[in-house]
Each structure stands twice: as C-alpha cells, then as structure tokens.
Amino acid sequence: MKKRILFAAVGIPVLLIILFAAPEWATSAMCALLAAVASYELMHAVGGAQWKLLAAMPAFAALMTAAMGAPMLGIAPFWLLAGNFAVILYGFVMAIATHGREKQLGFATLAAGILSATVLPAGFASLALLRCVSPALAIAPLVGAFMSDTGAYFTGRALGRHKLCPYVSPNKTVEGSVGGFIGSVAGMIIWHLVVKSTISMDIGLATAAVLGLAGSALGQIGDLSFSVIKREFGVKDYGTIFPGHGGVLDRFDSVLFVSPAYYLILLAVFA
C-alpha cells in the first residue's frame, strides 16, 4: 500500500501536467508508449520468450495508437485499415516462417500479438481522442474506472461476503462490485460538477450517472478479462513498471474498456 500511495503522489501530478499543460501530441505520445509496453506485457505473459519472434509488435502498437489517437496527423481510414492488415500479415508470416522449428511461434502468442497491436491501441487512442476535445474529457475514463476500483476495494474489504468470480479473481466479491458502481457514479457526478463550474462544460447530471454506471460495469469486465489471461498462463502481474501496481495492463486493464465507451457516449452527447 505504501508503494501505491507514493507512486500515486508522483504519477497523478505528472499525468495531470501531460493532460492539461502539455500540447495534444504529448498525450498521444504517452498513450503510444503505454500501448507499446502493454503489447510487450501481453505477449510475454502468454508466450514468455516467444514474444521476441514478434519483436516489432510493440512498435506496431505504438504506431496504431498514434495513428488513431492523433487527428492532427490527418491519417485517413485507408491507412488505418492498411496498418491493421500489416499487423495481421506480419504475425502470420512469422508463424509460417518459424513453424516446425525449435523456436516456433505458437498460436496463443500470435493471437496475443495481434490483439496487442490492434485492440489495445483502440483503448489508449480513445484517451488521446478525448484529450483532443478537452483535457477534462480525457480525465473522465480515469475517474470512472479508478473510482470503481477504489469503491470495490474498500467495500469488498469491509463488507465482502459473497464471491463474484472465484475462479478468475478470488478476492472480488458481489458486495465489492456494488461498491464499485457506487464509487464510479459518485466520482463521475463530482467530475461533472467540477467541470461544469470550472470550464462551463455541462453534460448533464443524468449523463454523468450513466457514465458512472458504464464505467464501473466495463471497468470490472476489463479487470476480469485480463485476470482470465493471467490465471490461464499463471502470471501474477503483467509487469513491474508501476511500483505497487504492476505493469501497464495491471493498472490500465479497466481503462482500456472504459475509454472507448466514454468516447462513443460523449461523442453522441456533443454531436
């Protein structure tokens, strides 16, 4: 817990500086870097040293994140489709080239690599796209997901009795899940009131509550989804880059599911 608090004391101000004080490209660069690390973490968790057979995949993940999350670059949908095709082609060519050899690329690692350079960038790019609209909107998925985590953690510790998904995450409880919804809704309502009073951006109290419910539901699904992978492949943490929190996927697993949903919901609100 001490490491978590110390990291938060340093990490949160740095994140806020990047989102609010730095230009838009800094957020895109940060998201691209996170995507590259997450790509490596996922492949390494699934295939161990096999990830080296797809050593270019983290670079693809970073490029795809930057391409999707930086509208100022003016990258056409044609090139985004071409990038996805290149990722898939690269993965299968490496599988074909190494098949039957002592060090061959297994399908699980191949699938993890393709997922890491296509789906994961969509989650990180959504944060960058929200930042292009307003730094306040880029904060929203983080508030929704992290407040859900916080509410679930403390409620589960205090009141947890009934296991939620014991084979996936033994410590999670139904009571904690309910606390997560309460924490996320409360967090998004506070976010809404702060944003409304400071920059006069009003999405409406009802929308804020909907974002809270969606943030908790999708955040918990994201958390459990990446926990399934860890359980199947016997991994405790995806990495150690964040002291007390693990790797990028350990910290952002819930955000990766929340940020695309928030982008779509807020896009509809502001349309």
Side-chain angles (χ1 to χ4, degrees):
M1 181 60 72
K2 183 178 179 181
K3 286 185 178 180
R4 283 175 172 249
I5 295 173
L6 288 174
F7 175 77
V10 176
I12 292 176
V14 171
L15 177 63
L16 293 176
I17 289 173
I18 293 175
L19 292 178
F20 285 89
E24 291 178 5
W25 64 261
T27 298
S28 296
M30 177 188 70
C31 290
L33 177 60
L34 290 172
V37 176
S39 172
Y40 159 76
E41 289 178 348
L42 184 59
M43 288 190 297
H44 188 267
V46 171
Q50 279 190 17
W51 85 270
K52 295 178 181 179
L53 300 174
L54 292 176
M57 214 56 102
F60 273 118
L63 290 172
M64 289 299 293
T65 302
M68 289 188 286
M72 72 285 292
L73 296 178
I75 297 176
F78 171 84
W79 293 110
L80 296 178
L81 180 60
N84 275 293
F85 180 67
V87 166
I88 296 169
L89 187 64
Y90 165 63
F92 276 101
V93 166
M94 291 304 298
I96 294 168
T98 60
H99 188 71
R101 297 185 180 183
E102 181 180 352
K103 294 182 179 180
Q104 72 174 31
L105 180 63
F107 181 74
T109 310
L110 169 62
I114 293 175
L115 178 73
S116 75
T118 53
V119 177
L120 295 188
F124 286 113
S126 296
L127 284 176
L129 287 171
L130 288 168
R131 166 62 181 87
C132 290
V133 179
S134 169
L137 293 185
I139 290 291
L142 304 178
V143 173
F146 294 161
M147 285 301 293
S148 176
D149 290 345
T150 302
Y153 176 77
F154 285 107
T155 305
R157 283 179 62 90
L159 304 173
R161 297 292 184 273
H162 303 88
K163 298 296 184 181
L164 181 64
C165 296
Y167 296 109
V168 177
S169 188
N171 295 325
K172 294 189 184 301
T173 63
V174 174
E175 294 81 2
S177 177
V178 173
F181 279 97
I182 295 172
S184 186
V185 170
M188 289 312 301
I189 289 175
I190 294 172
W191 170 86
H192 161 65
L193 295 174
V194 171
V195 169
K196 182 180 178 181
S197 63
T198 54
I199 62 173
S200 301
M201 182 183 291
D202 186 2
I203 65 169
L205 198 60
T207 301
V210 169
L211 288 174
L213 293 172
S216 185
L218 294 172
Q220 292 185 51
I221 291 173
D223 189 358
L224 291 170
S225 297
F226 284 98
S227 290
V228 165
I229 298 172
K230 289 197 288 188
R231 295 293 174 267
E232 181 171 345
F233 293 96
V235 177
K236 183 179 183 298
D237 291 319
Y238 282 104
T240 58
I241 191 171
F242 298 137
H245 293 270
V248 171
L249 288 176
D250 296 297
R251 183 63 277 177
F252 287 90
D253 50 5
S254 55
V255 177
L256 288 171
F257 277 56
V258 175
S259 57
Y262 274 28
Y263 177 71
L264 294 173
I265 293 172
L266 292 168
L267 191 66
V269 170
F270 288 104

